[in-house]
Amino acid sequence: MGYAENRGDYWRGRYKIAPKQYGTVKDENGRTRRFTTKRAAEKAAAVEEERVLTVKPVTVVKRATFGEYANRWYERQDLASSTMQNYRRHLEDHLLPAFEAVYIDEIERDAVDSWEKREREIYAASSVKTWRSTLHLVLSDAVDDGLRESNPATKRRGRGKRAGRSRNRGPEKVVTNALGILLIAERAALLAGREDDFTAVVLKGYTGMRWGEIVGLEPEFIRPAAVRVEWQLYELDNGAFDRCPPKDDSYRTIDSPGFLSRLLADQVERAPAKPCECHGLRYLFNGHGAANGAARRPGAKLVDVARFAGVSTGTVSNVLNRPHVVALDTRDRVEKAMTDLGYIRNWASGENAAHWRRNGFATWLFKPATTGWYPKKAPEEARPVPLLAEPWPGIPARGRGAADRSEACWLPIAPGLTPHGLRHTHKTMMDLFRTPEKLKDERMGHEDGSVQARYSHISPEMRAELLGSLSRAWEEALAVRRRMSPGFPVLTLDALLREGQ
């Protein structure tokens, strides 16, 4: 029989739902009802107990704490490794510390809202929203398993929200244009000391491919006038790369303009012949890391010295190994270039890693290329990229004393731009070209399930018009870059600039 329980300043109704198991009278929103009198609490409990015993059969369910149930719930999931990793991180770092010892059926909406408020004081609102979604998912399954009657993590629209502002507002996404893509790719190649990164940045800006799709791109998926997206590489917390289908199974073929097809064909020739150890496969791009772990300071390579001195790499090698066969003035020029660039012989800084890591690429190549500054990373403070002024736009000075030898620094191109911002940039460029929505969705790997989209189709004329617009944007950017300086120390772009001349 239902009874009333004194909670100090209010009464609550309790009723039997199974042997040694009791429920609490709650309102339609899942909150415990607070009665001012004992009589009212007893009456409500009696009504609720009668409903439970007469309307639906009693199912005996063993109570479980949130920690016990969450571990069982996680083991039941069979999802992509990236999703499993994210769920584990959400549980261990944010949900279990707050709810691990609490019984599932005793978690109330007030407790969830208070937890969210505390998290928002420390973390970004968008992150807290994601963690609450995971909590909602776990508790929703707990409802289905009969451990509780309602989900206290359900977000009620417009409740508890301060008027006049959105708590989920973030900074506006920074985008750039065709010239910005070209200049950033140029600087990235100079920072890395190789052509690969020039091609990778241009590829991302002119196709909108996701980071994992570019890192996981294999030479066999480069077509004469297109790029086929079949796989991506997802970087896990343990440092391993998981080869998995693209996000949301967005397999697609992306048409590429002629200039990009030529760049990719050259990259296929440069791609490492040795398969990676993780998957036994060849990939179009590999990482750039020093054997001594100094990825943030790759160092000048022999090819940098050759470019700076205006000689071949063979001549530089002769200066190092057989100086007597090199003309004196040439030898002096090469040795001066080594000194100016901070070249260290036999320093394994040019050794490539199997794959680019997202954080390393963004921190030590992309951000310095867009802002002209290396970011703050302990123990070093933020600092401008030290440059030797010639040839334009400047060669990064490396090694000890680089700042003292610096003659110039880069101006910012697009502060706040991220590698993912190039995906936004490509979408913005297509908006500017008034590309049909169906074609934009295909290139971006999005799916529109509306009836309108079902009756829309992509014609060859639409593809040709978009490729023509992308090619014109590229040529216009090259023309502006050519007016800045007719030559370029990265061979790939230098050849493109001379073609126009």
Side-chain angles (χ1 to χ4, degrees):
M1 183 175 179
Y3 67 94
E5 183 178 74
N6 190 345
R7 302 295 292 175
D9 56 344
Y10 69 93
W11 295 83
R12 71 175 183 178
R14 299 279 284 170
Y15 58 93
K16 193 172 186 179
I17 58 178
K20 298 183 179 181
Q21 187 173 354
Y22 292 84
T24 301
V25 177
K26 297 183 179 181
D27 60 18
E28 64 275 7
N29 294 319
R31 294 176 181 269
T32 298
R33 290 186 60 184
R34 300 188 176 193
F35 298 95
T36 56
T37 65
K38 179 179 179 180
R39 174 68 177 165
E42 289 176 340
K43 185 176 180 180
V47 171
E48 196 66 24
E49 185 172 271
E50 182 179 359
R51 182 186 67 81
V52 171
L53 295 176
T54 59
V55 175
K56 73 174 184 179
V58 177
T59 302
V60 179
V61 180
K62 183 180 179 182
R63 297 180 75 195
T65 64
F66 179 82
E68 294 168 345
Y69 182 76
N71 287 329
R72 296 202 304 267
W73 176 87
Y74 183 83
E75 293 299 327
R76 291 205 309 250
Q77 308 307 306
D78 184 18
L79 304 168
S81 56
S82 57
T83 306
M84 296 297 290
Q85 170 185 276
N86 290 337
Y87 281 160
R88 173 54 65 187
R89 188 187 300 125
H90 299 170
L91 289 168
E92 291 183 349
D93 295 347
H94 302 281
L95 300 179
L96 290 177
F99 302 108
E100 181 173 18
V102 183
Y103 281 105
I104 285 283
D105 59 339
E106 291 186 354
I107 297 177
E108 297 186 353
R109 187 181 300 276
D110 287 342
V112 175
D113 292 342
S114 297
W115 163 80
E116 182 179 8
K117 185 177 180 180
R118 292 193 304 270
E119 293 288 289
R120 284 175 180 268
E121 293 174 355
I122 305 173
Y123 304 103
S126 58
S127 299
V128 179
K129 182 179 179 181
T130 302
W131 304 331
R132 178 160 181 152
S133 296
T134 302
L135 176 62
H136 182 277
L137 189 60
V138 175
L139 294 178
S140 179
D141 285 354
V143 171
D144 293 341
D145 291 340
L147 292 177
R148 58 176 302 125
E149 297 177 5
S150 62
N151 191 338
T154 300
K155 196 75 172 178
R156 293 174 297 165
R157 294 184 180 274
R159 299 291 185 88
K161 189 173 182 180
R162 192 178 303 175
R165 79 170 191 180
S166 169
R167 297 190 176 188
N168 295 324
R169 283 183 59 84
E172 184 178 1
K173 197 71 176 179
V174 176
V175 298
T176 186
N177 53 24
L179 179 60
I181 295 172
L182 179 62
L183 296 179
I184 291 168
E186 171 183 17
R187 291 182 178 183
L190 287 171
L191 287 162
R194 60 180 189 171
E195 321 290 324
D196 304 39
D197 301 277
F198 176 84
T199 303
V201 172
V202 173
L203 173 64
K204 190 164 180 58
Y206 278 86
T207 63
M209 291 173 65
R210 300 179 179 94
W211 168 259
E213 295 168 350
I214 290 181
V215 175
L217 186 58
E218 301 166 40
E220 65 177 288
F221 295 121
I222 302 299
R223 309 291 159 77
V227 178
R228 178 65 187 170
V229 178
E230 282 285 335
W231 299 96
Q232 69 165 328
L233 290 184
Y234 190 92
E235 187 178 344
L236 301 174
D237 288 345
N238 60 8
F241 284 86
D242 180 37
R243 183 174 182 261
C244 54
K247 184 178 180 180
D248 299 328
D249 290 333
S250 53
Y251 304 99
R252 61 198 186 279
T253 299
I254 304 175
D255 302 316
S256 62
F259 74 87
L260 182 57
S261 294
R262 293 194 295 274
L263 287 176
L264 292 173
D266 293 340
Q267 183 61 33
V268 169
E269 295 297 323
R270 287 194 301 267
K274 181 182 178 182
C276 74
E277 295 183 357
C278 5
H279 316 108
L281 297 170
R282 290 181 62 223
Y283 291 97
L284 197 65
F285 300 103
N286 59 9
H288 183 87
N292 61 4
R296 70 185 66 184
R297 190 165 45 87
K301 291 168 286 301
L302 187 139
V303 67
D304 292 325
V305 176
R307 289 170 181 158
F308 193 75
V311 299
S312 68
T313 54
T315 300
V316 178
S317 179
N318 282 336
V319 170
L320 292 170
N321 300 297
R322 297 186 300 161
H324 60 279
V325 304
V326 183
L328 183 60
D329 58 337
T330 302
R331 188 169 61 197
D332 290 340
R333 193 163 71 251
V334 171
E335 290 174 348
K336 183 177 184 302
M338 292 178 183
T339 302
D340 291 343
L341 292 174
Y343 176 78
I344 302 176
R345 186 179 183 182
N346 296 327
W347 188 29
S349 59
E351 184 175 316
N352 290 328
H355 308 290
W356 253 125
R357 297 194 176 275
R358 181 189 295 265
N359 184 58
F361 179 86
T363 302
W364 302 115
L365 278 193
F366 197 83
K367 188 170 184 178
T370 57
T371 65
W373 281 67
Y374 287 118
K376 179 179 179 180
K377 283 281 185 177
E380 297 181 358
E381 296 293 326
R383 62 204 185 281
V385 177
L387 301 176
L388 303 178
E390 296 294 337
W392 197 90
I395 301 292
R398 310 178 195 276
R400 291 184 179 180
D404 296 332
R405 290 181 280 109
S406 176
E407 301 169 342
C409 60
W410 283 326
L411 293 175
I413 296 174
L417 183 70
T418 63
H420 188 70
L422 290 181
R423 181 168 162 83
H424 288 248
T425 295
H426 185 62
K427 174 67 163 52
T428 304
M429 291 172 67
M430 290 192 290
D431 290 340
L432 180 64
F433 301 148
R434 291 179 168 78
T435 304
E437 292 295 330
K438 188 77 172 181
L439 182 52
K440 286 191 288 189
D441 287 342
E442 180 190 79
R443 291 180 71 86
M444 300 297 290
H446 295 156
E447 184 176 353
D448 186 347
S450 66
V451 174
Q452 180 180 357
R454 189 179 306 169
Y455 283 88
S456 297
H457 302 279
I458 302 170
S459 68
E461 291 78 10
M462 293 177 186
R463 297 184 187 278
E465 184 175 351
L466 174 58
L467 293 181
S469 298
L470 292 172
S471 296
R472 286 190 294 274
W474 171 257
E475 292 298 332
E476 291 170 3
L478 274 182
V480 175
R481 171 61 182 83
R482 193 177 294 113
R483 290 195 294 270
M484 295 176 178
S485 177
F488 182 61
V490 171
L491 301 180
T492 300
L493 184 55
D494 189 60
L496 292 170
L497 292 172
R498 295 184 188 281
E499 281 180 11
Q501 293 176 324

